[in-house]
Amino acid sequence: MLSIRDLSGVHFNSQAIAPTIEQIDQSFGATHPGVYNSAEQLFHLNFRGLSFSFQLDSWTEAPKYEPNFAHGLASLQIPHGATVKRMYIYSGNSLQDTKAPAMPLSCFLGNVYAESVDVLRDGTGPSGLRLRLLAAGCGPGLLADAKMRVFERSVYFGDSCQDVLSMLGSPHKVFYKSEDKMKIHSPSPHKQVPSKCNDYFFNYFTLGVDILFDANTHKVKKFVLHTNYPGHYNFNIYHRCEFKIPLTVKRENTDGQTETCTTYSKWDNIQDLLGHPVEKPVVLHRSSSPNNTNPFGSTFCFGLQRMIFEVMQNNHIASVTLYGPPRPGAHLRTAELP
């Protein structure tokens, strides 16, 4: 059994002490009235940064409600001796609104992280990225405190390799594409002349961003933004990219409106705003080698407004690929995947 103490060092859960409602009250004192979730049959008692849940379904005594409580939530009188079923420890005042605390400066270790990434658009589609970056150390820029450095950088389609290096610094890794396995989905794959050079990615793991350069011109042709959700093949390789993407929504009898897609948007919500994609999705199945099985399953790639959304089976967005303006005579298709 896990032994847990309160701030004063007194145990409220151990082999000798059960975490009852009375023990919690004695250890932590008074708080706001509890909240009852009828769907889960759980009674939640909340403190700052700490919540306890008590199960109701096994009680012989029916819970007593006091319905005259703000926002329709009922305070609850619960039987003596009820024990804790779950305990949550979090940062903030509310479990529903909690967010991960800011990364300590001691963890930066010379790396640069992205606080936010805004996708820039022109009249035809995405044009580049505006990144709000965080770094530890001194130097020019807006100082959030004595040691934190906050600054903005922008990169665009068509920027040279040197432009990107001067804006974002050296990548963590450079990856050269050996082949394009999705070429079979192109309009005329048999007419495509094999390239003598390979396009290459700059992988910025702490930014959650990949940048693809054309092998001949050495200019930006693609951005890939990673959400780092559990259950994806690339989970825990990239830091989560906190992106915001403006999407053009066309409705009847109105001009084009703009809605925002974020890292936490779900694909069904985006489809409700924009309508279903014209083309069917491409099924993407990653594996480390031909004989290995991907335990996370396939993902689905939808093309929309010069972007490809890679969607997991739970409706979360795994990555978003942004394409630059097509070259004359070229057509962007869903199958043009990284």
Side-chain angles (χ1 to χ4, degrees):
M1 175 181 288
L2 181 63
S3 180
I4 307 176
R5 295 180 293 179
D6 61 14
L7 295 177
S8 62
V10 178
H11 287 84
F12 65 89
N13 181 34
S14 66
Q15 291 183 345
I17 302 174
T20 62
I21 184 75
E22 294 81 15
Q23 186 63 48
I24 299 301
D25 182 69
Q26 179 181 350
S27 297
F28 295 95
T31 185
H32 297 288
V35 176
Y36 176 60
N37 186 324
S38 57
E40 297 181 348
Q41 291 188 305
L42 289 177
F43 171 71
H44 301 286
L45 197 60
N46 302 313
F47 299 84
R48 179 179 173 84
L50 187 65
S51 294
F52 298 95
S53 298
F54 300 85
Q55 186 74 52
L56 301 188
D57 57 359
S58 61
W59 293 356
T60 57
E61 178 181 348
K64 300 176 182 179
Y65 294 90
E66 296 177 5
N68 297 324
F69 191 69
H71 309 296
L73 298 176
S75 61
L76 197 62
Q77 296 177 358
I78 61 178
H80 294 287
T83 57
V84 173
K85 178 179 177 62
R86 300 173 187 165
M87 182 179 73
Y88 303 90
I89 302 175
Y90 50 89
S91 173
N93 296 323
S94 169
L95 180 60
Q96 289 73 27
D97 301 328
T98 186
K99 295 182 179 180
M103 181 182 297
L105 287 173
S106 59
C107 297
F108 274 61
L109 302 176
N111 290 304
V112 177
Y113 292 86
E115 183 180 53
S116 62
V117 176
D118 294 326
V119 175
L120 306 176
R121 289 182 64 103
D122 54 23
T124 61
S127 60
L129 303 178
R130 181 172 62 240
L131 303 96
R132 183 175 172 84
L133 304 176
L134 305 176
C138 58
L142 177 64
L143 296 180
D145 57 37
K147 296 182 179 180
M148 178 71 74
R149 183 185 173 202
V150 183
F151 53 100
E152 288 189 356
R153 293 289 186 267
S154 297
V155 289
Y156 299 90
F157 290 110
D159 280 356
S160 67
C161 176
Q162 291 79 3
D163 292 333
V164 174
L165 288 172
S166 64
M167 289 291 104
L168 303 180
S170 299
H172 296 91
K173 184 179 180 180
V174 178
F175 174 76
Y176 289 86
K177 294 181 65 175
S178 58
E179 58 180 335
D180 187 358
K181 296 181 179 180
M182 303 304 294
K183 193 177 295 184
I184 189 174
H185 295 284
S186 300
S188 303
H190 60 282
K191 295 182 179 179
Q192 296 186 8
V193 179
S195 175
K196 297 180 180 180
C197 304
N198 295 327
D199 294 346
Y200 54 95
F201 281 98
F202 276 8
N203 304 125
Y204 291 94
F205 298 126
T206 58
L207 305 183
V209 175
D210 292 332
I211 302 177
L212 179 68
F213 293 90
D214 186 272
N216 297 313
T217 64
H218 301 285
K219 292 185 177 181
V220 175
K221 60 185 294 187
K222 184 190 300 183
F223 296 104
V224 185
L225 315 178
H226 299 272
T227 61
N228 194 37
Y229 271 114
H232 187 256
Y233 185 76
N234 289 331
F235 174 64
N236 217 24
I237 295 177
Y238 295 86
H239 194 273
R240 175 169 291 169
C241 179
E242 301 281 353
F243 59 74
K244 293 182 180 180
I245 304 175
L247 300 175
T248 302
V249 179
K250 295 182 180 180
R251 295 188 174 95
E252 294 182 2
N253 302 324
T254 60
D255 296 332
Q257 299 178 350
T258 300
E259 300 285 348
T260 300
C261 168
T262 71
T263 308
Y264 307 99
S265 298
K266 288 193 173 182
W267 180 245
D268 54 356
N269 296 330
I270 296 175
Q271 288 192 123
D272 290 340
L273 291 173
L274 303 175
H276 291 274
V278 177
E279 297 184 3
K280 293 182 179 180
V282 170
V283 180
L284 183 62
H285 186 82
R286 291 186 172 94
S287 61
S288 57
S289 67
N291 296 324
N292 285 355
T293 301
N294 179 1
F296 303 110
S298 302
T299 55
F300 306 94
C301 300
F302 297 87
L304 202 64
Q305 299 180 13
R306 288 221 324 258
M307 293 175 286
I308 291 180
F309 292 81
E310 183 189 359
V311 182
M312 301 167 62
Q313 297 182 19
N314 60 6
N315 246 337
H316 283 287
I317 297 173
S319 67
V320 180
T321 302
L322 313 176
Y323 288 87
R327 296 185 300 274
H331 300 279
L332 180 66
R333 295 178 58 85
T334 305
E336 295 179 9
L337 299 174

